Amino acid sequence: MELKNHWLAANKVALPRLLQWVNLRPEESERTQLMFLFYTTVSVGLRWAEDSTVALFLDEYGTNLLPWMYISSAAMSAGLVYLYSWLQRIFPLRRVIVAIAPCMLMPLVLLILVRWGSHFSYLAVISVFLLRLWVDALYVVNDLNTSIVANQLFNIREIKRTYPLVSSGLLVADVISGFSLPWLVQYTSLNKIILIACVVILFGSGILFYLTNHYRAAFPETPQRLIPEEQGSRQRFVKSPLKRYVFSLFAFVGLLQVIGLLVDFQYLRELQANLSDRELASFLGIFGGMLGLCELSLQWFVSSRIIERMGVFFTATLLPITVGFSLPGVLLLLYLIPAMQSQSFFWGLIIVKFCDELLRYTFVMSSGPILYQPIPEAIRSRMQTLSGGTAEAIATGLTGALIFVTLLFCGRFVPVPMQKWVLVAETMLIAGTCLTVVWELRSRYVELLVLSVARGQLSATNVGLRFFKQGVVKALAEKGSETDKRSCIELLAQMDSPGAAEVLAPLLIKLTPDLQRQSLEVMLMAGANPTYLAAIRPLLEQSQETNPEVFALALRYVWLAEPNPNLSLLEEYLNPRQNSLIRATAAALVLRQGTPMQKVAATQTMRRMLTHKLERERVNGVRALREAVYLQALRIHIPNLLQDESLRVRCAVLEMIAATHLEEYYSALIAALYYKSTRSTAMSALVRLENEALEMLLRLATNIYKPEVVRMYAWRTIAQIGTQEALETLWENLETSYGITRDHILRSLVKIHKKPGITGLVDRFYESRVENLIKQELKFLGEIYAAYIDFKTLDQKENHQSSQRIVIVCELLERALLELELDIKERLLLLLKLLYSPEKMQAAAFNLRSLSVVNLARGLEILEHTITLSSKSLLLNILDNRPQSEKLQHLIEAKIGEYENMVISDRLHRLLILSNFLSDWCLACCFHFAQVTRIRLTSSEILVSLRHPTGFVREAAIAYLNMVSHRVLLQILPQLEKDPHPLVAAQVKELLEKYQDYRKLI
């Protein structure tokens, strides 16, 4: 029994270490193991069948028919891929992938029986050709099958770690089949070996059946033809960027196949020229076995780590670079060695074939399925079948035709010594083309991941301004929704406010009153311009037909734009019979430009409006004051108007204070931020003041005793001011703030930089500031993880030993620490938004917040291809859903965090030293924990918390003080009787009543 327990204990330690060696996580191990067994078993059978049919084919035909074999194989593979794709539309995916291999074995067995029992030599000869052809098709279907199953079982991040191990099944198969085939050849014929291979493939299909049944939930039960129409229309790739991505992927897969076949043809031609059929079969087996050992070592211990750290596209370029440059280099190097000159091509092509196979079946094969992950899941398997299988089939056919034409051309026009170099040059050219395709594929990969979450935003950076203006004119002139037209005018004002009048003025007379009002407001924002008076005056001439709001705006525009206005005409509009808005506008214009007598009349008109019983009169009067230069005697009405019962009046007064820069009433703008009803108006007014408002907003934002929501809006207002001084104020406070205050500033900065994206922060100075802030957050995160691990250890001990109360409070503290981790992760994403494309970062953040592991993996993949910081790898590990101990280890390895096991009291003191970084709830939990565990805290730690702005933190500090020192508590209780928080006030009252008798004794 002891031995058994000892073995289990050792196994529990050994298994995680083994998984770490092969870069695998425990939750992925079972799926990976079953996939590996399935792929290895099937690949052993396929390898035996392939090597046997290659030997039979070369013995029967030589290499002369290889181009025709490639062309025929292309047609056969394309047909089977189309059939495979069609079956996915008719039957559920799980049934198709399980049944395809056994169904394809039947023709193979039939061909063997025909060759075995045929009395006609021509049938035997044809069957050899068909055998070789069918085994090639089996390879194509099996590779497709395996990658589709992997994409269903693993998400985009898991597949980087797991698929290299799964695909190593082929390498294990190379080793097993390679070293066993020469032994089998000695004891049986090649025909019987092919039949044995069929039995092995059937056994592998049985493993696949078990795997798909065990993980049935990973496979859709609905055939693709039954996908709902709306889902299909959303994902139809021919109408989206997916079309371009799939085309690039198609080209990449095809070019890799062309490279492989060109190398393979040259390699087999050299083998056929130097070896007999049995020697050839044995050589292929030994070569495959040795190659398999090298591939296996690379795949198990190197491949997944390189793909995860360097990226899928780095590994995708290794094969074309290596083959394109090493092929001529190796051949020339061997030719320069006198002893190797006659055999230089033979050994050179063996070396190049070795490199090609080594990279193809490690890095390229491992990264292949990852490239299909951005494709929507509902159509991924079908796209994978069509682009992967069809691309290989077409590439095979084109390569066959290319080789055939090349041999024909060389035979007639190229000297015999130079004929081999023509194919070498073609291989180099194809490798170079493949590299350019990989570069194109990389840019579309991230774009597609982002577009799967959100669409890009329209901005002046991606729309030509001239064409946009033409579009606005067309949209406003034609029939259409008024909401759409209003949006066009708003967008025009954002993109080109100074030039908006040029577009809008000629269209004014044709627009509806609402659109006329909006257009005139936009034109006035840019300043009145005499050029457009002719387009606006008709609105004043048709006074009875013109809307009063439009008339008032047109009146203001004309009199502000007119170089020498006739103010006597304005006096007509001061008549009480006129609409109040027109009357108020005329009075404000007279106050601005009139004679003293005219100003007196205008002042009387405005006074009557400001004190009128009707709300509309008061609102229009206040709005008109925004255009007055001197308020003169009207100032005395402002205090009453600020207290007006009408919200519309109060908001109009706030706008007027900002418009006329009444400094004595700026405090009213700050006070209006406290109320939800006036907050948006107050913010707009303060933004209009620009730098004048900075100092008072900063005082409000940095006062921790002000309401949190008010402080948040103060930071947002500073951000909306948008001047260089405001921007620098935000950055300076960002670097000195912490916790939720830093969140508010970050969100404000993100709003500033949302439209231009990275161009707003391209300055290296800002980038270095962001990187320092990220390191600061990560360092604090290390403290959080260290505390969580120590408290978790105590929690596990207390569960077995001590009181339930300690356990409950400890769990609360642990939960508060985990919530802090979530806050810091969110802050890290906000910091990254300052440096990178808003669309990409928004898509990544959306996925990272999801509870789905598939979406989490997609978000991490977007970040991997977006972030360029030196800490990218660390950030990805922190944002991943991994245990806290593992994340702490990553921080320690990066020399950002450190961990020293502490007694629980020391750990609590360390947390309280960092109290500025802790959330209010976490700080309160620290005091509750100190109370139940009777840990002694310093007087400074207690006093700081008694002055904390948050009520429940003060409540926790008082409860702790009640436990450690009644005398000190009684001294400070009278000072806390009038605490504004009801929780603290009730607690103080209860304690005073409890200790009333004790106080009398004192």
Side-chain angles (χ1 to χ4, degrees):
M1 189 68 181
E2 286 182 10
L3 287 173
K4 183 178 179 181
N5 290 338
H6 177 75
W7 181 86
L8 285 172
N11 191 45
K12 286 179 180 178
V13 174
L15 183 59
R17 188 172 296 175
L18 176 63
L19 293 176
Q20 189 176 4
W21 283 346
V22 294
N23 195 30
L24 200 63
R25 292 176 178 175
E27 65 270 19
E28 303 159 353
S29 59
E30 185 182 6
R31 287 172 288 166
T32 308
Q33 182 181 0
L34 288 170
M35 278 290 292
F36 173 79
L37 289 173
F38 146 68
Y39 194 43
T40 302
T41 307
V42 173
S43 297
V44 167
L46 282 175
R47 202 65 172 176
W48 281 344
E50 181 192 26
D51 289 346
S52 300
T53 54
V54 166
L56 289 171
F57 181 86
L58 292 178
D59 181 54
E60 194 73 46
Y61 301 108
T63 59
N64 295 329
L65 282 184
L66 275 178
W68 293 108
M69 169 59 67
Y70 294 151
I71 295 170
S72 303
S73 178
M76 174 73 75
S77 299
L80 283 172
V81 166
Y82 178 79
L83 174 65
Y84 190 30
S85 174
W86 177 77
L87 288 172
Q88 290 178 38
R89 292 181 57 82
I90 304 301
F91 301 102
L93 180 62
R94 193 177 69 86
R95 295 183 188 176
V96 175
I97 60 180
V98 170
I100 192 72
C103 291
M104 288 193 67
L105 286 179
M106 289 188 288
L108 190 63
V109 174
L110 185 62
L111 286 170
I112 289 294
L113 295 175
V114 168
R115 173 174 170 75
W116 215 339
S118 176
H119 299 291
F120 303 99
S121 59
Y122 68 89
L123 282 178
V125 171
I126 293 172
S127 65
V128 170
F129 187 89
L130 293 176
L131 275 171
R132 181 75 188 93
L133 196 63
W134 197 255
V135 170
D136 275 354
L138 263 173
Y139 255 110
V140 171
V141 172
N142 183 58
D143 287 343
L144 274 176
N145 226 22
T146 306
S147 58
I148 287 172
V149 174
N151 267 328
Q152 294 298 131
L153 288 174
F154 304 107
N155 64 45
I156 197 168
R157 299 293 293 179
E158 289 174 340
I159 209 165
K160 289 185 175 183
R161 292 183 294 271
T162 60
Y163 200 72
L165 295 172
V166 171
S167 60
S168 69
L170 180 63
L171 312 181
V172 174
D174 283 343
V175 176
I176 295 171
S177 62
F179 290 118
S180 62
L181 187 58
W183 177 78
L184 285 173
V185 168
Q186 291 179 3
Y187 293 99
T188 188
S189 65
L190 295 177
N191 291 331
K192 289 181 180 178
I193 291 173
I194 296 173
L195 285 177
I196 295 170
C198 292
V199 175
V200 174
I201 293 170
L202 274 176
F203 181 70
S205 299
I207 298 173
L208 180 60
F209 173 77
Y210 171 78
L211 172 66
T212 54
N213 189 62
H214 189 61
Y215 293 98
R216 186 185 291 265
F219 299 89
E221 293 292 338
T222 306
Q224 288 185 2
R225 63 185 172 85
L226 298 180
I227 292 175
E229 183 63 29
E230 62 273 13
Q231 185 180 353
S233 63
R234 281 199 310 269
Q235 296 171 340
R236 196 164 290 136
F237 76 96
V238 294
K239 294 183 180 179
S240 72
L242 188 54
K243 178 182 178 181
R244 299 192 299 271
Y245 181 77
V246 171
F247 179 77
S248 298
L249 196 53
F250 185 95
F252 172 66
V253 173
L255 288 170
L256 282 180
Q257 181 73 356
V258 173
I259 293 171
L261 290 174
L262 285 173
V263 171
D264 188 61
F265 174 77
Q266 297 170 80
Y267 165 74
L268 289 176
R269 189 162 67 165
E270 290 299 317
L271 291 184
Q272 193 266 337
N274 289 275
L275 302 172
S276 66
D277 60 338
R278 281 186 169 268
E279 288 175 338
L280 182 58
S282 297
F283 175 82
L284 288 174
I286 294 170
F287 179 82
M290 294 176 63
L291 178 64
L293 287 174
C294 296
E295 289 172 334
L296 204 55
S297 302
L298 190 65
Q299 192 77 324
W300 279 1
F301 304 110
V302 179
S303 182
S304 64
R305 286 181 170 84
I306 290 182
I307 292 172
E308 197 171 16
R309 291 177 187 176
M310 303 302 295
V312 64
F313 294 99
F314 171 81
T315 56
T317 58
L318 289 177
L319 188 142
I321 289 174
T322 303
V323 172
F325 289 98
S326 70
L327 181 57
V330 170
L331 294 175
L332 287 172
L333 182 64
L334 291 174
Y335 188 77
L336 293 175
I337 301 172
M340 298 289 292
Q341 282 185 355
S342 60
Q343 295 288 312
S344 61
F345 254 85
F346 175 73
W347 290 109
L349 282 166
I350 288 174
I351 293 171
V352 172
K353 176 66 175 178
F354 187 91
C355 293
D356 177 79
E357 293 270 324
L358 184 67
L359 295 173
R360 185 178 298 274
Y361 292 104
T362 52
F363 295 123
V364 174
M365 191 171 184
S366 299
S367 58
I370 303 168
L371 299 175
Y372 292 94
Q373 283 285 334
I375 300 173
E377 188 177 354
I379 60 172
R380 184 189 300 151
S381 61
R382 189 160 181 261
M383 289 300 101
Q384 195 167 350
T385 303
L386 290 174
S387 68
T390 308
E392 289 188 359
I394 293 174
T396 302
L398 291 176
T399 307
L402 175 66
I403 293 171
F404 180 79
V405 172
T406 302
L407 293 177
L408 193 64
F409 174 81
C410 290
R412 294 187 178 183
F413 303 105
V414 179
V416 174
M418 296 299 295
Q419 288 179 359
K420 294 180 179 181
W421 289 99
V422 175
L423 284 170
V424 172
E426 289 175 350
T427 307
M428 292 173 61
L429 181 63
I430 299 297
T433 308
C434 188
L435 285 175
T436 61
V437 171
V438 173
W439 182 260
E440 184 70 18
L441 192 64
R442 183 184 183 278
S443 63
R444 288 173 178 166
Y445 176 82
V446 182
E447 177 192 5
L448 197 59
L449 283 172
V450 173
L451 288 175
S452 65
V453 180
R455 297 289 174 186
Q457 294 182 346
L458 183 68
S459 68
T461 59
N462 54 28
V463 179
L465 198 55
R466 182 168 61 87
F467 294 107
F468 174 70
K469 286 182 177 180
Q470 292 173 2
V472 171
V473 172
K474 186 177 180 181
L476 294 176
E478 293 179 352
K479 292 182 179 180
S481 159
E482 188 154 326
T483 304
D484 293 341
K485 292 182 179 182
R486 194 178 297 115
S487 299
C488 282
I489 296 172
E490 287 175 3
L491 195 55
L492 179 63
Q494 291 174 14
M495 293 176 64
D496 187 25
S497 181
E502 181 186 356
V503 175
L504 297 174
L507 299 171
L508 274 175
I509 201 69
K510 302 176 185 177
L511 298 176
T512 62
D514 280 347
L515 294 177
Q516 286 176 336
R517 176 189 56 76
Q518 185 185 11
S519 300
L520 284 167
E521 286 174 349
V522 170
M523 292 170 68
L524 281 165
M525 282 169 58
N529 190 333
T531 308
Y532 306 114
L533 286 175
I536 294 173
R537 278 203 176 98
L539 298 175
L540 299 178
E541 294 166 1
Q542 303 172 2
S543 57
Q544 294 181 349
E545 299 176 10
T546 305
N547 179 282
E549 282 191 75
V550 175
F551 191 94
L553 288 168
L555 186 68
R556 197 167 95 203
Y557 194 98
V558 168
W559 254 260
L560 291 176
E562 191 72 58
N564 300 302
N566 184 358
L567 294 172
S568 60
L569 295 176
L570 283 177
E571 293 184 60
E572 300 176 15
Y573 299 116
L574 298 179
N575 194 305
R577 291 193 298 273
Q578 288 285 353
N579 181 278
S580 62
L581 187 57
I582 297 172
R583 196 183 334 132
T585 301
L589 291 171
V590 170
L591 285 174
R592 177 190 283 265
Q593 297 173 321
T595 64
M597 291 301 295
Q598 289 173 327
K599 288 182 179 180
V600 169
T603 301
Q604 290 297 331
T605 300
M606 293 298 296
R607 181 179 288 112
R608 284 194 295 271
M609 294 185 69
L610 294 175
T611 57
H612 204 280
K613 292 181 179 179
L614 292 177
E615 179 196 51
R616 183 178 61 183
E617 292 277 336
R618 299 198 303 278
V619 170
N620 289 336
V622 174
R623 284 179 177 170
L625 285 179
R626 289 182 295 184
E627 305 303 322
V629 178
Y630 303 105
L631 295 183
Q632 301 167 349
L634 298 174
R635 289 174 181 264
I636 61 172
H637 298 289
I638 293 176
N640 291 331
L641 290 168
L642 283 169
Q643 302 296 324
D644 197 280
E645 61 182 12
S646 168
L647 175 63
R648 294 178 63 202
V649 173
R650 296 199 301 274
C651 290
V653 176
L654 295 175
E655 292 171 352
M656 181 269 295
I657 290 170
T660 54
H661 295 267
L662 293 176
E663 293 185 19
E664 64 267 37
Y665 292 107
Y666 283 175
S667 58
L669 299 179
I670 295 296
L673 283 175
Y674 284 76
Y675 305 100
K676 188 177 181 180
S677 57
T678 56
R679 187 173 291 141
S680 60
T681 306
M683 288 176 69
S684 301
L686 288 164
V687 168
R688 187 168 184 174
L689 292 176
E690 294 189 335
N691 290 340
E692 279 186 81
L694 274 182
E695 186 178 347
M696 53 185 176
L697 282 169
L698 191 59
R699 282 199 304 270
L700 175 61
T702 54
N703 189 338
I704 61 172
Y705 293 99
K706 296 297 181 182
E708 194 64 47
V709 67
V710 179
R711 295 176 62 210
M712 176 184 72
Y713 281 105
W715 288 120
R716 288 189 184 180
T717 307
I718 293 173
Q720 289 179 28
I721 289 173
T723 61
Q724 186 60 39
E725 290 83 355
L727 179 63
E728 194 53 42
T729 297
L730 288 172
W731 275 101
E732 287 174 359
N733 283 275
L734 178 67
E735 291 169 329
T736 57
S737 64
Y738 35 77
I740 196 167
T741 302
R742 180 172 286 184
D743 285 346
H744 296 330
I745 301 173
L746 274 173
R747 293 183 193 281
S748 303
L749 279 170
V750 166
K751 286 182 180 294
I752 293 176
H753 300 293
K754 190 173 183 181
K755 291 180 182 177
I758 195 171
T759 56
L761 283 173
V762 74
D763 191 335
R764 183 69 187 172
F765 174 62
Y766 283 117
E767 186 175 334
S768 63
R769 291 170 88 170
V770 171
E771 193 159 12
N772 287 335
L773 288 168
I774 288 174
K775 288 180 180 177
Q776 189 182 97
E777 293 291 343
L778 291 174
K779 188 172 183 179
F780 175 55
L781 196 56
E783 296 287 348
I784 297 301
Y785 290 148
Y788 179 81
I789 290 167
D790 283 351
F791 286 120
K792 194 71 178 176
T793 305
L794 175 71
D795 185 20
Q796 290 167 356
K797 291 178 182 177
E798 294 293 345
N799 267 316
H800 297 289
Q801 298 173 8
S802 192
S803 71
Q804 192 65 23
R805 190 180 177 195
I806 295 177
V807 173
I808 292 171
V809 176
C810 190
E811 287 176 353
L812 283 174
L813 181 53
E814 290 166 18
R815 203 176 305 158
L817 290 170
L818 292 180
E819 288 171 1
L820 265 181
E821 179 196 13
L822 293 177
D823 292 342
I824 294 171
K825 284 183 178 180
E826 194 66 31
R827 213 170 294 138
L828 289 171
L829 290 172
L830 288 171
L831 285 165
L832 292 173
K833 281 184 180 180
L834 294 176
L835 293 177
Y836 302 107
S837 160
E839 291 82 9
K840 291 180 182 178
M841 294 309 304
Q842 187 65 30
F846 176 84
N847 279 302
L848 289 171
R849 293 187 193 108
S850 172
L851 297 176
S852 164
V853 291
V854 175
N855 289 344
L856 174 66
R858 191 179 289 267
L860 291 172
E861 189 71 5
I862 293 172
L863 289 181
E864 182 178 345
H865 292 275
T866 303
I867 299 174
T868 56
L869 300 175
S870 58
S871 56
K872 177 175 79 171
S873 178
L874 179 59
L875 282 169
L876 293 176
N877 284 317
I878 293 298
L879 293 170
D880 201 354
N881 188 18
R882 305 306 306 151
Q884 283 69 29
S885 56
E886 186 178 320
K887 293 180 182 181
L888 179 59
Q889 185 59 39
H890 287 301
L891 288 168
I892 294 169
E893 289 171 0
K895 297 182 180 179
I896 290 179
E898 54 186 26
Y899 176 69
E900 178 185 352
N901 187 262
M902 294 183 181
V903 296
I904 211 66
S905 57
D906 290 346
R907 179 60 69 186
L908 189 66
H909 282 295
R910 186 165 179 81
L911 272 182
L912 290 174
I913 290 171
L914 301 168
S915 60
N916 288 337
F917 293 89
L918 299 179
S919 66
D920 295 345
W921 175 239
C922 187
L923 184 58
C925 287
C926 287
F927 274 90
H928 286 305
F929 183 78
Q931 179 189 356
V932 296
T933 54
R934 299 186 174 274
I935 294 174
R936 302 289 296 184
L937 301 180
T938 64
S939 56
S940 60
E941 291 168 347
I942 300 169
L943 289 173
V944 168
S945 295
L946 287 171
R947 292 193 294 266
H948 200 279
T950 304
F952 58 76
V953 175
R954 298 197 297 276
E955 183 268 341
I958 293 169
Y960 172 79
L961 203 54
N962 182 40
M963 184 271 294
V964 295
S965 177
H966 295 166
R967 184 179 295 277
V968 175
L969 178 65
L970 288 172
Q971 290 175 1
I972 65 169
L973 277 177
Q975 304 170 33
L976 300 171
E977 278 188 279
K978 296 181 180 179
D979 193 284
H981 198 284
L983 176 68
V984 179
Q987 182 191 30
V988 171
K989 183 180 179 181
E990 182 183 346
L991 289 171
L992 285 171
E993 291 174 356
K994 178 180 177 181
Y995 293 114
Q996 188 173 11
D997 295 337
Y998 182 74
R999 291 175 67 191
K1000 289 177 180 177
L1001 291 173
I1002 294 175

